Amino acid sequence: MAKAGGDVPGLPARRAALRLLDGVLRRGETLEQNETAALRGLPASDAGLARAIAAETLRWLPDFDALIDSATRENLPEDAKPRTVLRLMLAQWLRLDTPPHAVVATALPLLSGGPKRLAHGVFGALTKRGVELPAAPTLPEPVAERWGERAGTIAAGLAEPPPLDLTLRDRSQTAEWAVKLGADSLMPGHLRLSRGQAVHGLEGFEDGAWWVQDLAASLPARMLGEGGGKRALDLCAAPGGKTLQLAAQGWQVTALDISAKRLKLLEENLKRTGLSADVIAGDAFKWEPEAPFDAILIDAPCTATGTARRHPDVLHRIGPRQIEDLSEVQARLIERASGWLTPGGILVYAVCSLESEEGEEQAEKVWLTKEPVSAEELPAGLSPTSKGTVRTDPGMLPEHGGLDGFFVARWRKS
């Protein structure tokens, strides 16, 4: 029953989820870009539910569409509102364990007239059949074609949102913190907890003992080893996890990023952890260093398709145009940064992308001397490629909960 003068209980969260989906599927926005407007005025619980509904809808979208099409003879357009409402209804029932009667009560008010009757009929038919989802999400066809033979393994790693990974300020305390937080560790300085933890309430947060960072995202900075007070540049540094790593590893760090707003989070984390870095807001294509660096880490702007476990919108808004545009930016960054290295200096290039154009193909263009990564530098269960680079996929380390997709390569300036 609707509240007097208000919505059906639960309806605002579903309406917000619909707005989030509209931003991704119609306008090509990220979920985060649309959150401010879509979630305005919602209590935290409703905002969290709206995010979860939208994310699970995007994660399993082709499978939801197949179910919808199996239960209606009507040719519902991809962007038809009844189809999108049905998608979020199925996400609630099949992924979030919402009882069907609650799904109907909170989602059907988003429609009226004939579309409402259609959605009710389709959803009712599917619940009567007791339909189920496959073990792994079906990837959108263009994505599956791009990822080729890797697609099946990657898809298996996208079935669930990721666990919570932490990077420790002091690697020597890994065992101690694993006990304190009840966490697993896949390599020194890494902790893994189950998802859904309230980060700010965990022991060690206020003291700056750790920061949130996916295991794969922690690998590039590890490739530079201990700094011993030498100078390192973290290029495209925000939001700052790699800057914190380099500072903790003893490097004298310069953190450069074009976004002053995003650098504020880095400065807050430096203060919280007691680490230091020279933070500069600037355009890497205009900025010039005063002196060359002993090491440079380029965490380049990319399509971020490797983060699909936590950002399933990338499965639906990234295509050839974005890949081509970002590949050009990456190549320019590598070329420019190569000139800022001292003789014998190390360059590490990384992208959280599953696209070969942004990873393997970029590495083939670099004129510096390859510095192959060894198996000892990686978590157990991961190995370097035959060319001494690192390629991680969400389907790797499945027994431990997987990891983001990354490409990492390392060179030395001879």
Side-chain angles (χ1 to χ4, degrees), residues 143-172:
V143 177
E145 290 178 357
R146 288 204 315 266
W147 295 347
E149 62 183 18
R150 298 184 297 150
T153 302
I154 295 171
L158 303 182
E160 298 291 341
L164 175 66
D165 283 345
L166 308 178
T167 297
L168 290 172
R169 182 181 58 200
D170 185 349
R171 291 186 195 177
S172 68

Side-chain angles (χ1 to χ4, degrees), residues 60 63-64 67 90 93-94 126-127 129-135:
W60 295 87
D63 297 296
F64 292 152
L67 290 174
L90 290 172
W93 174 42
L94 295 173
L126 293 172
T127 55
R129 280 164 46 191
V131 297
E132 296 181 349
L133 291 169

Side-chain angles (χ1 to χ4, degrees), residues 320-341:
R321 179 179 57 81
Q322 292 96 330
I323 296 170
E324 180 181 356
D325 290 348
L326 286 162
S327 295
E328 292 178 4
V329 173
Q330 293 150 10
R332 291 172 60 205
L333 281 172
I334 294 172
E335 182 63 27
R336 187 162 174 78
S338 298
W340 297 338
L341 278 172

Side-chain angles (χ1 to χ4, degrees), residues 13 20 39 42-54 96:
L20 288 172
L39 305 180
L42 289 183
S45 57
D46 278 359
L49 177 58
R51 288 190 198 96
I53 293 171
L96 302 179

Side-chain angles (χ1 to χ4, degrees), residues 31-379:
L31 282 173
E32 286 75 14
Q33 282 175 323
N34 198 28
E35 278 190 354
T36 301
L39 305 180
R40 184 180 292 116
L42 289 183
S45 57
D46 278 359
L49 177 58
R51 288 190 198 96
I53 293 171
E56 290 306 304
T57 301
L58 294 168
R59 193 184 308 277
W60 295 87
L61 192 69
D63 297 296
F64 292 152
D65 280 345
L67 290 174
I68 292 166
D69 292 339
S70 75
T72 178
R73 294 180 180 178
E74 293 201 26
N75 185 20
L76 283 174
E78 288 289 317
D79 60 351
K81 188 175 181 181
R83 179 181 287 277
T84 305
V85 170
L86 275 165
R87 289 163 170 168
L88 65 85
M89 292 174 76
L90 290 172
Q92 293 171 78
W93 174 42
L94 295 173
R95 292 295 300 162
L96 302 179
D97 298 323
T98 307
H101 71 272
V103 172
V104 169
T106 54
L108 285 186
L110 296 169
L111 299 167
S112 60
K116 182 175 185 177
R117 291 190 292 273
L118 170 65
H120 198 178
V122 171
F123 185 71
L126 293 172
T127 55
K128 287 178 182 177
R129 280 164 46 191
V131 297
E132 296 181 349
L133 291 169
T138 300
L139 297 174
E141 189 172 338
V143 177
E145 290 178 357
R146 288 204 315 266
W147 295 347
E149 62 183 18
R150 298 184 297 150
T153 302
I154 295 171
L158 303 182
E160 298 291 341
L164 175 66
D165 283 345
L166 308 178
T167 297
L168 290 172
R169 182 181 58 200
D170 185 349
R171 291 186 195 177
S172 68
Q173 297 181 0
T174 303
E176 175 186 340
W177 278 105
V179 172
K180 285 183 180 180
L181 297 177
D184 295 325
S185 178
L186 300 186
M187 64 188 311
H190 166 263
L191 297 178
R192 174 160 287 185
L193 294 81
S194 59
R195 66 178 178 272
Q197 306 268 0
V199 173
H200 292 75
L202 291 173
E203 185 176 356
F205 176 82
E206 293 292 341
D207 298 329
W210 48 261
W211 53 90
V212 176
Q213 187 178 36
D214 186 80
L215 174 61
S218 75
L219 299 179
R222 292 173 182 266
M223 301 305 151
L224 291 177
E226 296 300 316
K230 293 182 179 180
R231 300 180 69 245
L233 171 65
D234 185 4
L235 195 57
C236 312
K242 297 175 182 67
T243 293
L244 298 176
Q245 283 182 275
L246 293 174
Q249 290 166 206
W251 291 92
Q252 181 184 336
V253 187
T254 297
L256 178 72
D257 198 275
I258 197 169
S259 172
K261 182 179 179 181
R262 281 162 54 83
L263 284 174
K264 288 182 180 179
L265 178 59
L266 168 54
E267 291 173 328
E268 290 171 3
N269 278 317
L270 286 169
K271 183 177 180 180
R272 182 174 64 86
T273 58
L275 297 168
S276 63
D278 184 14
V279 180
I280 300 174
D283 185 341
F285 294 117
K286 299 177 181 178
W287 178 80
E288 291 286 350
E290 295 179 356
F293 294 93
D294 301 292
I296 297 177
L297 171 56
I298 307 175
D299 183 11
C302 69
T303 56
T305 49
T307 67
R309 296 184 307 160
R310 69 191 76 241
H311 302 298
D313 52 283
V314 299
L315 299 171
H316 307 284
R317 58 178 186 78
I318 297 299
R321 179 179 57 81
Q322 292 96 330
I323 296 170
E324 180 181 356
D325 290 348
L326 286 162
S327 295
E328 292 178 4
V329 173
Q330 293 150 10
R332 291 172 60 205
L333 281 172
I334 294 172
E335 182 63 27
R336 187 162 174 78
S338 298
W340 297 338
L341 278 172
T342 59
I346 296 292
L347 175 69
V348 170
Y349 169 77
V351 282
C352 55
S353 168
L354 293 167
E355 315 304 327
S356 60
E357 295 93 332
E358 299 181 272
E360 290 82 356
E361 293 181 27
Q362 290 290 1
E364 292 299 319
K365 306 171 188 175
V366 178
W367 56 272
L368 301 171
T369 303
K370 289 182 180 178
E371 188 81 3
V373 176
S374 67
E376 290 72 28
E377 297 175 87
L378 301 174

